[in-house]
Amino acid sequence: MLQHLRDNSRGVISFILIGFLVIIFALTGVEALFNWDTSANQTAKVNGEVVTEMDVARAISMQKQQMLNTYGDQIPAEFLSDEYLRKPVIENLVQRMVLSQAAESAGLTMGASYLSEQIANAPQFKNESGLFDNVRYQQVLRNMGYTHSTYSKILADELMINQLQAGIGATAFITSEQLDDIFALSFQTRDLSYLLLSASKERESLTVDQTEIQTYYEANQQAFTSEDQVAVDYINLSVADLMKSVVITDEQLRKQYEQNLSNFVAATERQAAHILVEGENPEKLKAINEKLAAGEDFAAIAKELSDDLGSKDQGGDLGFTKGDAFPEEFETALAKLKVGEISPAVKTDAGIHIIKLLAEKGSEPPSYEEQKASIEEQLKRAEAENIFVAQLERLRDLSYNAENLNEVSQELGLKVENSGLFERNKGKGLFANTDIIEAAFSSEVLQEGNSSDVIELDTSNVIVLKKTDYKPSQVKPLSEVEAQIVNLLKEQKAKVALDKQAIELIALLKSGESLLDVSKKAGVELRQVKAAARSTAEDNAEIVSHAFSMPKPVNNSPSFDTLTTSTGDVAVVVLETVVAGTQEKVTPEQKTAIVSQLAAIYGKNDFSSYQKFLKDSADISQK
């Protein structure tokens, strides 16, 4: 690029441009190139502090990654669009900036050593051995678009906000009166009785005549209308399938291995550990050297004396480097060591390092046996991809005007299969793919009878299809749905009959008849539940749960209600007594847990209110 500028710096326009830059430097200094007006890159401003487009872009990227990690390919594409995510991301950035400013105003700070500890202990920065890996750390930061400095600032803000939230949450408390009310409701018990009218028994006694069936059928045609269905022949061309038929000889494998050997370039990776001494501290450096000279374990010394909080707990282990992870002086010294050797003191901007080479890899080529399987896979894929490209073009040409796909399959040596009839929204496997469904039900395939275009499922997997059968949407014949209609009508009749019976039974109870007498008249068992709790898990839990929604008995008169259960039965529920819970009925462990939960809830609510107050009070502007 610099050579290109040099080659083209002789024209008139170049002289004008360079002259313009010289004037800028003369008037404002070189900083003018970097300290431009940030308002052009401004998305929002919070109390004078700017949220930039770069901040928004990073946050959107991270949000996308989190959503993909959580939901995978199941998430709709529109949910991952910048337009969809932009507004909530900006709102979140503004809210976090408000909280960060509040934390700083409250005097909260984050020490450098604690910040280093958090980075070192973060699982995403550790290697397979569970140790902090500086190379991985730098790589993750690069992928997120951060430098160590910007990431540290964001992490410090995050920790301070957490500190602020914990501080506000810790101020929440519960009064004794509140606890009494909560225990009274939470540990309340109820005495109830109920009669259960059986839906299945009622249905068995009912009959449905043909006229009712016909009337219902004619009045509900839409409910008995099937979707249109299509069946297609299809040819699926994929690299994975082609690979199965590719045969690679041992001669080919060895030839490729020899070629790999001739192209092999050693990419040595070295695993380093170090003991860091910050600043001028000759006494400490002397103590370290004496311990090493005495044969003490390097990792133990690092844990005891190293000033690098990010690696000392791992015995100074910094992970692997390809020669570019550490300062030049560090890398130069490391490259001179043999595995197990320890360097003399090496000075960098960070301090004095004593370095140990723990392991080395990538300097020797792999053996034939180590490479054989991957070479075979590589050659098979390469051959299959060549076949795929050639057959893809022929598939397009042959299927375009084909009378049927059998001719195409014979010509290409591929298998033709049939989907069988499937509905637009009920396809399975390949035929749940939206692109395939759209093609199968398109006018091109469905009405004109042509082959579909070649549909790309992915870069190495395509499909072409052609209609073989079609069944239009139609009302199912009565004979096919008659049993379904009979069941529906019986359920409706049973519901009406049981509701009527339940109302009549409640009327008898309200008139003064006893529950026992009413149950005998109804021919059903009287069931009673004493001191039922909200958390009951018995067979009658559905009815007990409903009883807790019924009004409290007044003047010793029970409350009455009906409930249609999930099985269609109808219960006549009589609520007789409500007994409030008390703190005496609760164990000390339960009480402690409840108080802790309530404090957490109140603390969360207090923090939400505080967040709203801060945002409402802030000077916020958005573009």
Side-chain angles (χ1 to χ4, degrees):
M1 179 177 176
L2 291 174
Q3 184 62 47
H4 178 74
L5 285 172
R6 282 194 289 271
D7 293 342
N8 292 281
S9 64
R10 297 180 176 83
V12 175
I13 294 175
S14 297
F15 276 118
I16 293 172
L17 181 59
I18 292 169
F20 178 62
L21 292 175
V22 169
I23 292 169
I24 291 176
F25 294 160
L27 294 176
T28 64
V30 70
E31 292 83 359
L33 285 180
F34 304 98
N35 296 332
W36 58 80
D37 180 10
T38 58
S39 64
N41 189 36
Q42 175 182 317
T43 299
K45 187 179 283 188
V46 182
N47 295 325
E49 191 173 349
V50 172
V51 177
T52 68
E53 279 293 341
M54 179 63 75
D55 296 329
V56 175
R58 285 172 177 158
I60 288 175
S61 178
M62 291 182 67
Q63 183 65 32
K64 286 180 183 178
Q65 193 57 54
Q66 288 172 2
M67 293 169 75
L68 285 170
N69 290 343
T70 304
Y71 302 106
D73 296 337
Q74 302 300 314
I75 189 167
E78 60 268 22
F79 286 11
L80 296 173
S81 69
D82 287 2
E83 294 78 12
Y84 182 87
L85 294 172
R86 184 178 176 82
K87 185 176 179 181
V89 160
I90 291 174
E91 286 294 320
N92 186 52
L93 287 172
V94 168
Q95 183 66 74
R96 296 188 66 73
M97 189 169 283
V98 167
L99 290 170
S100 176
Q101 292 169 352
E104 289 182 12
S105 297
L108 299 179
T109 59
M110 195 54 53
S113 60
Y114 181 73
L115 202 59
S116 297
E117 268 185 55
Q118 295 301 305
I119 292 174
N121 292 327
Q124 65 267 35
F125 303 140
K126 292 184 177 180
N127 58 24
E128 292 74 11
S129 303
L131 303 176
F132 176 78
D133 188 333
N134 189 61
V135 175
R136 178 172 293 187
Y137 172 65
Q138 298 293 342
Q139 182 180 5
V140 171
L141 260 57
R142 281 195 297 271
N143 291 342
M144 293 192 298
Y146 291 123
T147 63
H148 172 72
S149 176
T150 55
Y151 178 73
S152 296
K153 173 66 168 66
I154 288 170
L155 181 59
D157 286 346
E158 177 83 21
L159 293 170
M160 282 197 299
I161 290 170
N162 291 344
Q163 204 173 33
L164 181 67
Q165 182 173 4
I168 292 172
T171 64
F173 62 92
I174 301 103
T175 66
S176 178
E177 289 77 9
Q178 286 175 311
L179 270 180
D180 286 338
D181 290 343
I182 288 164
F183 285 123
L185 286 172
S186 300
F187 294 92
Q188 182 188 95
T189 60
R190 298 193 170 200
D191 294 340
L192 62 130
S193 301
Y194 65 94
L195 307 173
L196 194 62
L197 308 178
S198 172
S200 59
K201 186 176 179 181
E202 184 67 27
R203 283 195 294 268
E204 288 172 7
S205 66
L206 295 171
T207 58
V208 179
D209 61 40
Q210 200 61 38
T211 303
E212 291 176 292
I213 295 170
Q214 185 70 38
T215 301
Y216 188 90
Y217 175 71
E218 292 174 358
N220 296 276
Q221 295 279 286
Q222 188 62 38
F224 307 115
T225 301
S226 65
E227 290 189 31
D228 57 338
Q229 298 174 293
V230 67
V232 295
D233 275 345
Y234 65 96
I235 295 174
N236 190 190
L237 173 64
S238 75
V239 169
D241 287 340
L242 292 172
M243 285 176 66
K244 296 173 185 176
S245 60
V246 175
V247 177
I248 303 298
T249 65
D250 191 61
E251 182 183 353
Q252 289 174 294
L253 291 172
R254 290 195 174 276
K255 184 178 179 181
Q256 183 62 48
Y257 175 70
E258 294 299 326
Q259 183 177 331
N260 290 354
L261 280 184
S262 65
N263 295 329
F264 176 77
V265 176
T268 304
E269 292 184 58
R270 298 179 178 88
Q271 185 180 7
H274 79 149
I275 301 169
L276 175 67
V277 178
E278 293 180 340
E280 295 296 329
N281 195 338
E283 293 81 8
K284 189 173 190 178
L285 193 59
K286 180 182 178 183
I288 292 169
N289 284 324
E290 287 175 352
K291 285 176 177 286
L292 288 170
E296 291 190 30
D297 181 58
F298 186 94
I301 300 171
K303 285 183 180 181
E304 179 187 355
L305 297 175
S306 179
D307 290 331
D308 182 2
L309 297 175
S311 69
K312 66 182 298 180
D313 289 340
Q314 287 79 44
D317 191 345
L318 296 170
F320 280 91
T321 173
K322 294 180 180 178
D324 58 0
F326 308 120
E328 184 179 351
E329 303 90 337
F330 190 109
E331 292 284 2
T332 301
L334 181 64
K336 294 177 181 177
L337 298 176
K338 294 180 181 178
V339 174
E341 284 186 345
I342 298 172
S343 75
V346 177
K347 188 171 184 179
T348 71
D349 290 342
I352 304 294
H353 307 262
I354 297 174
I355 306 164
K356 181 176 182 179
L357 179 60
L358 300 180
E360 192 174 85
K361 64 182 180 180
S363 56
E364 295 294 329
S367 68
Y368 173 72
E369 291 303 323
E370 291 172 329
Q371 283 275 285
K372 183 177 179 181
S374 62
I375 291 174
E376 184 173 14
E377 173 81 9
Q378 171 193 347
L379 292 177
K380 280 189 172 185
R381 179 165 292 279
E383 180 63 22
E385 285 173 350
N386 290 333
I387 298 170
F388 178 82
V389 172
Q391 289 206 336
L392 177 58
E393 292 307 311
R394 295 193 67 205
L395 178 62
R396 283 197 177 98
D397 294 340
L398 292 171
S399 64
Y400 185 72
N401 287 318
E403 288 294 322
N404 61 68
L405 293 185
N406 286 316
E407 301 170 0
V408 179
S409 68
Q410 290 172 7
E411 185 75 21
L412 296 176
L414 296 172
K415 185 179 180 182
V416 63
E417 298 182 77
N418 190 271
S419 64
L421 287 166
F422 65 94
E423 294 179 9
R424 196 180 299 266
N425 298 314
K426 295 182 181 177
K428 296 180 180 179
L430 278 173
F431 300 95
N433 181 290
T434 53
D435 291 335
I436 293 176
I437 292 169
E438 185 178 341
F441 285 90
S442 67
S443 58
E444 178 84 7
V445 172
L446 203 59
Q447 296 165 15
E448 298 175 26
N450 296 327
S451 300
S452 71
D453 291 335
V454 172
I455 304 163
E456 186 176 303
L457 303 178
D458 57 51
T459 55
S460 61
N461 189 12
V462 300
I463 188 171
V464 65
L465 46 89
K466 190 176 181 70
K467 181 190 74 174
T468 57
D469 194 10
Y470 176 68
K471 191 175 180 181
S473 174
Q474 59 185 358
V475 178
K476 297 175 184 177
L478 179 58
S479 58
E480 189 177 325
V481 297
E482 185 171 349
Q484 180 184 348
I485 293 172
V486 168
N487 286 334
L488 286 169
L489 290 173
K490 282 189 173 183
E491 284 179 8
Q492 290 176 3
K493 286 186 172 186
K495 178 72 168 64
V496 170
L498 293 178
D499 285 345
K500 181 182 177 184
Q501 186 180 358
I503 291 170
E504 291 171 350
L505 294 177
I506 288 176
L508 290 174
L509 291 170
K510 286 182 176 179
S511 69
E513 288 199 36
S514 69
L515 267 168
L516 187 58
D517 289 341
V518 170
S519 69
K520 288 178 180 177
K521 284 184 180 180
V524 295
E525 180 187 356
L526 172 61
R527 305 183 188 186
Q528 295 180 310
V529 183
K530 297 296 184 183
R534 293 179 186 274
S535 58
T536 184
E538 300 174 11
D539 293 338
N540 51 23
E542 192 176 0
I543 295 170
V544 170
S545 177
H546 181 74
F548 273 89
S549 69
M550 292 171 60
K552 186 177 179 180
V554 180
N555 298 327
N556 295 321
S557 296
S559 294
F560 303 99
D561 202 1
T562 63
L563 168 69
T564 301
T565 69
S566 56
T567 59
D569 297 335
V570 174
V572 175
V573 186
V574 182
L575 177 59
E576 297 156 345
T577 309
V578 173
V579 179
T582 62
Q583 294 194 35
E584 289 72 26
K585 294 182 179 180
V586 182
T587 65
E589 292 78 13
Q590 286 178 313
K591 185 175 180 179
T592 301
I594 291 169
V595 170
S596 177
Q597 285 179 338
L598 289 172
I601 293 169
Y602 291 170
K604 187 176 181 180
N605 291 340
D606 288 347
F607 185 69
S608 295
S609 299
Y610 179 63
Q611 277 184 291
K612 186 176 185 306
F613 167 75
L614 288 175
K615 191 172 181 183
D616 291 345
S617 305
D619 179 13
I620 299 172
S621 60
Q622 293 188 30
K623 280 193 175 182

